[in-house]
Amino acid sequence: MDIKSFPEGFMWGTATSSFQVEGAWNEGGKSESIWDRFCSIPGRILNRDTPAVSCDYYHSYEKDINLLEQIGVNTYRFSISWPRVMPEGTGALNPEGIQFYKNVIQYVKSKGIQPVIMLYMWDLPQKLQNIGGWVNPQISDYFADYAGAMFREFGSDVSIWMTVNEPHIISHLGHARGVFAPGLRDFKASLEVSHQLLLAHGKAVRRFRELEVVGEIGIGLNFDMALAASGKPEDAEAADRWNEFQRSWYFDPLLKGHYPEKLIVWFEQRGLMPEILQGDMDVIQTPFDFISLNYYKMIFIRHNGNNWPLETEEVDVKGLIPFDGIGSGQAYPQGLYDYIMWVHNKYGPIKLLIGENGIPVNDVVCYDGGVHDQSRIDYLYRHLEMVHKAIQDGANVRGYMVWSLLDNFELTFGYFLRFGLVFVDLETQKRTFKDSAYWYGEVVSQNGLSPYRPWP
């Protein structure tokens, strides 16, 4: 059988997020996060869903880590809730929160699985938001202090760290479009937030080095491949501008020490360019060890001069199946290959992980007790083919993680979107392996892809 093998020592894993799975939003000394506050506002969350319990991971993490062991993965990426471990956002640590994550880390390691910690996956303490949040010029120092505390508490047991997950989502959806927490609509502020997030990353990396933590540290960057909605030159330019805004706006500062020139000019002409202080770019460009690439889908973009300030507009194209059943983009495996090779060709052979990749499916438990999610298997197979192809073409990809282990609280979509390899009955908290979990376990066990076939 012709198996497409992956490199020896390849990291196979899944990922979860503290806010999306833990529940226990006000237990164990945890304070309110910006997402707790955002979800309490009527009309923000689909179907009035609430994350108050979610997957109840806070009380049942051992059960869920046992699922990881059954699948056979060797890596598990999870995030720490800043308000759970440092309720005031700064200063004193919460012993109960620290002990919770120590327990999680130790249990993960007891199963022979490598823990990968994401320091920030969007649940900022509300007490920091009350004094400006990510717009506050002091926030990057607060983050560095928080990161340093986590390195001291867990650094002897964790060797792979990520600073910030998807700064583009935090800045743009949370501060320009207002559809994610904290719900602001201020494009200029969103660019300032993106700069502060990059500074926070750089300062955390410096703290990591100062404390001489044994291990590696990186950042998670997301990208939805934008294609022009037509053959018109203005649409091609709009799609290119959107791709630059998602990708180069973050990659260039991190790896070249400056923002992309085209966007600097574009934003300066509109009075939007954030203030960059002397030394900022040196901090942002502090050497780190890897980048985690998050990729899900592609979108179609056309020019719209009325959409200030980017003059771009996302459009649907008839005849294509929406990625999430709501109308947001389409699955496009080639885009993952293009993303990897864009990074490799533009910035060199930096170490890469695929930190998130997955698809929501309208999963149900069938009459036979199984969850037969063939479309998810198709999606994962075709994207893993692209990862394998990129490796064959020289890219330094060292791991792949499915989003997500569990069906969880998918932010503004509530529980409507099911991304998990494991089906979660929210009423009974029963877990059921989907066919994709069994399939993924086979991929992991043989460290490669068998020729495609329907499952089982």
Side-chain angles (χ1 to χ4, degrees):
M1 182 168 56
D2 184 19
I3 295 176
K4 294 178 179 176
S5 296
F6 284 75
E8 184 178 353
F10 197 75
M11 297 166 60
W12 294 103
T14 67
T16 60
S17 153
S18 55
F19 177 75
Q20 293 175 258
V21 298
E22 285 180 4
W25 76 275
N26 61 351
E27 295 184 43
K30 177 184 173 294
S31 66
E32 184 184 26
S33 77
I34 58 172
W35 269 99
D36 292 319
R37 177 70 61 89
F38 188 79
C39 292
S40 71
I41 302 171
R44 292 293 196 180
I45 308 301
L46 189 66
N47 299 325
R48 300 180 180 178
D49 288 340
T50 169
V53 176
S54 188
C55 303
D56 199 31
Y57 179 92
Y58 183 75
H59 299 108
S60 60
Y61 67 88
E62 291 185 352
K63 173 172 63 178
D64 293 326
I65 292 166
N66 289 340
L67 299 176
L68 291 168
E69 182 184 31
Q70 293 173 48
I71 294 172
V73 298
N74 56 37
T75 305
Y76 172 41
R77 195 204 86 185
F78 59 96
S79 69
I80 291 177
S81 168
W82 190 344
R84 191 177 294 285
V85 296
M86 192 179 279
E88 298 297 317
T90 62
L93 297 177
N94 171 28
E96 289 183 75
I98 294 296
Q99 190 60 52
F100 169 70
Y101 290 110
K102 284 185 175 179
N103 293 342
V104 171
I105 291 166
Q106 291 302 325
Y107 199 70
V108 169
K109 293 184 70 174
S110 75
K111 300 300 179 181
I113 299 170
Q114 177 171 232
V116 175
I117 285 185
M118 175 65 73
L119 285 168
Y120 186 71
M121 196 161 174
W122 312 352
D123 44 356
L124 185 75
Q126 180 62 37
K127 292 188 177 183
L128 290 183
Q129 186 62 40
N130 293 343
I131 57 173
W134 284 105
V135 181
N136 186 334
Q138 294 180 287
I139 190 68
S140 60
D141 290 323
Y142 295 152
F143 181 79
D145 290 342
Y146 155 65
M150 298 304 99
F151 299 148
R152 287 189 292 270
E153 292 291 336
F154 310 129
S156 61
D157 291 310
V158 177
S159 59
I160 301 180
W161 296 78
M162 300 187 195
T163 55
V164 176
N165 192 58
E166 301 184 343
H168 171 78
I169 297 295
I170 300 164
S171 61
H172 189 65
L173 295 190
H175 295 81
R177 291 181 55 190
V179 295
F180 275 14
L184 303 182
R185 296 186 178 183
D186 184 335
F187 199 97
K188 182 175 176 60
S190 76
L191 295 184
E192 295 170 358
V193 167
S194 67
H195 187 64
Q196 291 299 325
L197 286 162
L198 290 172
L199 277 173
H201 158 79
K203 290 179 180 180
V205 174
R206 289 191 171 189
R207 196 68 59 90
F208 186 83
R209 306 297 186 210
E210 290 166 3
L211 293 172
E212 298 182 341
V213 181
V214 177
E216 298 181 313
I217 190 166
I219 187 171
L221 301 178
N222 68 290
F223 178 59
D224 290 342
M225 173 68 70
L227 302 180
S230 77
K232 297 178 181 178
E234 58 266 35
D235 287 347
E237 291 174 6
D240 180 67
R241 185 162 56 252
W242 180 252
N243 285 333
E244 285 285 287
F245 180 54
Q246 285 190 94
R247 291 186 305 191
S248 300
W249 186 254
Y250 299 95
F251 279 91
D252 277 7
L254 288 165
L255 297 169
K256 292 189 172 184
H258 58 78
Y259 286 102
E261 186 62 33
K262 286 183 180 180
L263 288 181
I264 290 175
V265 173
W266 186 273
F267 291 138
E268 284 182 341
Q269 289 174 343
R270 290 155 179 80
L272 295 172
M273 192 65 193
E275 181 181 12
I276 300 172
L277 301 179
Q278 185 175 1
D280 280 1
M281 301 314 294
D282 290 336
V283 172
I284 291 171
Q285 203 184 5
T286 300
F288 54 96
D289 301 302
F290 66 89
I291 294 179
S292 174
L293 306 181
N294 298 353
Y295 176 82
Y296 289 92
K297 61 188 179 180
M298 61 92 161
I299 57 177
F300 290 101
I301 292 290
R302 71 182 174 196
H303 176 259
N304 183 339
N306 294 321
N307 277 2
W308 184 90
L310 288 170
E311 300 183 8
T312 61
E313 179 182 19
E314 182 178 344
V315 297
D316 295 331
V317 174
K318 294 181 179 179
L320 296 178
I321 300 173
F323 169 79
D324 58 18
I326 292 178
S328 178
Q330 284 81 34
Y332 183 60
Q334 178 68 35
L336 179 54
Y337 173 84
D338 293 343
Y339 185 19
I340 295 169
M341 298 310 297
W342 176 83
V343 176
H344 176 75
N345 292 329
K346 185 174 181 180
Y347 302 103
I350 185 170
K351 179 177 178 179
L352 301 174
L353 304 177
I354 307 304
E356 294 181 23
N357 182 231
I359 187 170
V361 177
N362 187 24
D363 298 311
V364 294
V365 179
C366 296
Y367 69 94
D368 59 358
V371 181
H372 307 304
D373 56 337
Q374 183 65 43
S375 57
R376 178 175 288 107
I377 295 172
D378 292 349
Y379 175 95
L380 296 176
Y381 185 96
R382 297 181 194 285
H383 284 77
L384 276 170
E385 274 192 317
M386 293 296 102
V387 176
H388 182 268
K389 179 182 178 184
I391 293 171
Q392 295 298 108
D393 290 343
N396 187 23
V397 184
R398 305 291 291 278
Y400 174 90
M401 299 177 202
V402 176
W403 182 266
S404 176
L405 172 65
L406 304 169
D407 292 335
N408 59 30
F409 184 78
E410 282 295 337
L411 306 172
T412 54
F413 292 113
Y415 299 104
F416 175 77
L417 300 182
R418 290 183 176 268
F419 273 90
L421 296 173
V422 178
F423 185 94
V424 178
D425 185 316
L426 296 168
E427 292 185 5
T428 66
Q429 289 296 328
K430 180 181 178 181
R431 272 62 164 158
T432 302
F433 266 30
K434 302 177 186 179
D435 285 354
S436 58
Y438 295 110
W439 172 85
Y440 188 52
E442 181 181 275
V443 172
V444 173
S445 67
Q446 63 189 17
N447 195 36
L449 285 173
S450 299
Y452 182 80
R453 70 182 192 282
W455 182 269

